[in-house]
Amino acid sequence: MDDTWLRPFQPHLDRRAARVAAARQRYGPLAEFARSHEYYGLHRTAEGWVFREWAPGATAIFLVGDHSGWQELPDCALHVANDRGDWEISLPADRLQHAAHYRLGMHWPGGSGPRLPSHARRVVQDPATLLFSCQIWDPEPYQWKNTTPDLSGRPLLIYEAHIGMAQEKGGVGTYWEFKEHVLPRVARAGYNTLQLMAVQEHPYYGSFGYHVANFFASSSRFGTPEELKELIDAAHALGLRVIIDLVHSHSVKNEAEGLALFDGTPFLYFHDGPRGFHEAWDSRCFDYAKPEVVRFLLSNCRYWIEEFRLDGFRFDGVTSMLYDHHGLGDFFHGYDSYFTPATDEDALTYLALANELIHQLHPQAVTIAEDVSGMPGLAAPLADGGTGFDARLAMGVPDHWFKLAADTRDEDWHVEALYHELTNRRADERTISYVESHDQSIVGGKTFLFELLDASIYTGMARDSADPVVDRGIALWKIARLLTLATAGDGVLNFIGNEFGHPEWVDFPREGNGWSSHYARRQWSLRDNPALKYSALGDFDQALVTLLGTPALFNASTGRLYSHVSDQILVIGRGPWLVAVNLNPVHSFTDRPIPVLPGSYQLLLDTDETRFCGHGRLTPGQRFFSAPQGDYTSALSLYLPARCGLVLKLEADPLKKAPQASTG
């Protein structure tokens, strides 16, 4: 009813809704179904310890470790517990000790090998042998001090961060260091949601955390589970909700550390044959049609919410989940692209169930889909036949900004095309906009400021430097962030350090760079040095987020009040706010009439202010008064300097009809 273009695909939508309903019926109450972590894995009991594992293809399993001298002893052999393929062993309390190490000795027809349990909650790497093993983790329960902040009605102001690269020194940062040194920065910068990457355990640090092996284990590289809980607790105290990147789109292909060939069969958790391999990511693809896989993944959602008091998830790689072709190629040209045999409706069903479960467990939880395809309904409510995500990433926005910066002459930046890209979203779905995330600056790419400045980023960032390349770059950097926030649907995202224009790119220690950590860190000293322009950019972003990151802006609709393509002027109205931008590289415009609601307007932010390393061509805080001008019954006469953006706010009664948009 809301989108006539979807009407030809009504049978597909009905079938998808029926599949979700059938799955609910099949699995029963989701909160009860999603408890595999309470059954499988190692658990302390009144009598001692019990360990269970699902491995229907196994012929024998041994629990080996410090307790057995790493030998497959007869009294450490698991026995078959039922006809589902579950194995079990009970051990006395004094046989296993806190912090001791263990793994499984798995046997199957024709082979055997070491395995880590599917529900392992702590996995560590031996620094000498580099081998991974589980660690028995049985400390005193963590005592939570703070509750999740109530941010209902607030926009999503997301700060995306990686614990390991959050410190300035070389090496891997820790949960404790992040809590002490980075959390206060996030809160001061005005963001209200912390999105942590690479929390689920992964054997290869350079994978950015996206090749997960141990889905129930928090990465031990950064510290203990209790230190992660302390970080989350401290974030809640600062008014920040915490979400993590949840990787349910694929799994690392490692056998000794992960789930691949877990019991000797390639199809236990994954599709059999070629469909079970993601060639581009060199990983394994889950089979979402299997009840055991659905239970495993739903239980994983529940575990992270209840054990770590997380406030939601950004689901990674949703496009890859939704299509057999994983979105690799030029597929999405029309609505029929979403309703082909290549669409994995089992994955869609799983995602709908995951959203339903998450919101049952945590009504204020936030779920965000990383999807580039634009699948209709992904972020629409379950009750409306949608998949139930709270929001989706507007992944076309950063692509457009970087295309402009890299491929388009300044004088060819088309303001109406830009406005279309910034506001091109479905009315029935919430979206998160951003200039750049980690995707843009991963090795082989650049941060947005680096794209604009290139080599001048190394020589022209002193406050007293007069480099025209830097002047141009930081002016456009500020305008991009202003326009993106001002037009965002329901929130914005920033990657750690980019709020002050962090230079260069992101690269993790690997053989190709001599195992260097130089690019896997954040140079906070740049932000903190008042003699550098990075400090001014950080101040600008903080002022921008504080001023516009409010319900008053995000609850209002966005409208184009005025645009002039050849002059490169764009004026946007949103509630009481007026954002006027001149992208022209050389021409400033005096007394340009802008149609507005009648009243007085105060200038609250100006990208050209000297405190933001601008040229100071406007008087801060000045007021403008509307008056009839030409064909406009109410207009402002604005001075719009070249490469400058203004934020004004209506001080009079805004409940009057807005003037019609004008295009020059």
Side-chain angles (χ1 to χ4, degrees), residues 31-363:
E32 292 303 312
F33 181 67
R35 290 183 179 273
S36 70
H37 57 294
E38 297 176 1
Y39 179 76
Y40 296 112
L42 183 65
H43 300 278
R44 182 182 281 280
T45 68
E47 295 77 25
W49 299 89
V50 63
F51 176 85
R52 301 184 187 93
E53 188 60 81
W54 178 58
T59 56
I61 306 176
F62 294 86
L63 190 70
V64 300
D66 294 333
H67 62 281
S68 70
W70 295 96
Q71 301 300 310
E72 294 184 349
L73 302 179
D75 65 345
C76 295
L78 279 67
H79 64 271
V80 176
N82 51 49
D83 58 4
R84 296 197 309 264
D86 292 340
W87 296 71
E88 182 175 304
I89 186 175
S90 296
L91 293 169
D94 59 357
R95 188 69 185 273
L96 303 178
Q97 306 297 324
H98 172 68
H101 299 82
Y102 70 99
R103 65 171 70 97
L104 300 178
M106 186 76 68
H107 295 252
W108 56 86
S112 64
R115 295 291 186 266
L116 299 186
S118 60
H119 289 69
R121 299 194 182 193
R122 182 161 171 80
V123 173
V124 295
Q125 186 176 26
D126 187 303
T129 66
L130 301 183
L131 297 176
F132 287 85
S133 64
C134 298
Q135 192 172 28
I136 299 170
W137 204 248
D138 188 39
E140 291 294 321
Y142 179 77
Q143 300 299 312
W144 294 91
K145 304 176 184 65
N146 303 289
T147 58
T148 297
D150 184 359
L151 297 174
S152 54
R154 304 285 299 178
L156 288 163
L157 308 175
I158 302 172
Y159 195 93
E160 180 187 40
H162 185 285
I163 299 292
M165 63 177 290
Q167 80 300 324
E168 184 152 359
K169 70 180 191 307
V172 180
T174 67
Y175 297 126
W176 184 88
E177 289 173 319
F178 194 97
K179 173 177 71 75
E180 292 295 309
H181 305 304
V182 182
L183 269 184
R185 292 180 180 273
V186 179
R188 285 198 302 269
Y191 294 87
N192 60 26
T193 302
L194 176 65
Q195 177 186 314
L196 294 177
M197 310 170 65
V199 170
Q200 293 176 294
E201 190 62 86
H202 46 291
Y204 180 46
Y205 187 49
S207 75
F208 228 138
Y210 293 121
H211 274 194
V212 172
N214 315 109
F215 289 79
F216 290 84
S218 59
S219 181
S220 60
R221 283 186 183 87
F222 314 136
T224 68
E226 286 64 46
E227 288 168 333
L228 174 57
K229 292 174 183 178
E230 287 179 4
L231 188 164
I232 296 168
D233 209 5
H236 287 165
L238 291 172
L240 298 165
R241 66 191 138 202
V242 184
I243 65 177
I244 66 168
D245 279 1
L246 194 70
V247 184
H248 284 181
S249 48
H250 64 136
S251 177
V252 70
K253 71 175 185 179
N254 300 39
E255 298 171 11
E257 297 89 10
L259 298 172
L261 291 178
F262 185 72
D263 64 352
T265 58
F267 47 78
L268 186 63
Y269 288 92
F270 311 110
H271 287 290
D272 196 12
R275 190 179 176 191
F277 290 88
H278 196 305
E279 296 296 335
W281 291 353
D282 196 28
S283 58
R284 300 301 312 275
C285 300
F286 286 109
D287 182 352
Y288 304 102
K290 298 183 77 168
E292 297 86 356
V293 172
V294 173
R295 188 184 184 202
F296 175 82
L297 296 175
L298 289 178
S299 299
N300 195 234
C301 296
R302 177 168 192 156
Y303 169 76
W304 285 105
I305 287 176
E306 293 187 338
E307 183 69 20
F308 290 91
R309 297 199 180 182
L310 289 172
D311 305 307
F313 307 101
R314 169 198 174 269
F315 277 71
D316 177 70
V318 168
T319 306
S320 178
M321 299 173 68
L322 293 179
Y323 309 96
D324 294 345
H325 51 64
H326 306 303
L328 301 175
D330 197 14
F331 291 106
F332 307 110
H333 293 294
Y335 275 33
D336 54 351
S337 304
Y338 309 122
F339 302 98
T340 71
T343 304
D344 189 338
E345 294 189 351
D346 293 317
L348 263 175
T349 299
Y350 163 68
L351 290 171
L353 296 178
N355 278 292
E356 182 174 333
L357 171 69
I358 291 164
H359 292 101
Q360 281 180 9
L361 298 173
H362 189 340

Side-chain angles (χ1 to χ4, degrees), residues 546-608:
T546 302
L547 180 65
L548 295 186
T550 65
L553 180 114
F554 281 90
N555 291 338
S557 59
T558 307
R560 178 176 57 84
L561 297 182
Y562 176 89
S563 59
H564 198 296
V565 172
S566 58
D567 286 347
Q568 296 179 281
I569 296 173
L570 176 64
V571 183
I572 297 163
R574 192 162 190 182
W577 306 98
L578 184 76
V579 176
V581 167
N582 177 12
L583 280 167
N584 198 295
V586 293
H587 296 297
S588 299
F589 301 97
T590 304
D591 295 331
R592 177 60 60 104
I594 305 298
V596 296
L597 293 167
S600 63
Y601 291 77
Q602 184 178 10
L603 177 63
L604 297 180
L605 191 69
D606 167 15
T607 63
D608 197 47

Side-chain angles (χ1 to χ4, degrees), residues 162-174 177 204-206 208 221-222 443 502-524:
H162 185 285
I163 299 292
M165 63 177 290
Q167 80 300 324
E168 184 152 359
K169 70 180 191 307
V172 180
T174 67
E177 289 173 319
Y204 180 46
Y205 187 49
F208 228 138
R221 283 186 183 87
F222 314 136
V443 64
H502 201 283
E504 300 174 329
W505 54 87
V506 173
D507 191 12
F508 286 88
R510 55 187 174 87
E511 187 176 2
N513 63 18
W515 302 105
S516 170
S517 296
H518 180 75
Y519 297 107
R521 61 193 182 105
R522 296 288 89 178
Q523 300 180 58
W524 300 110

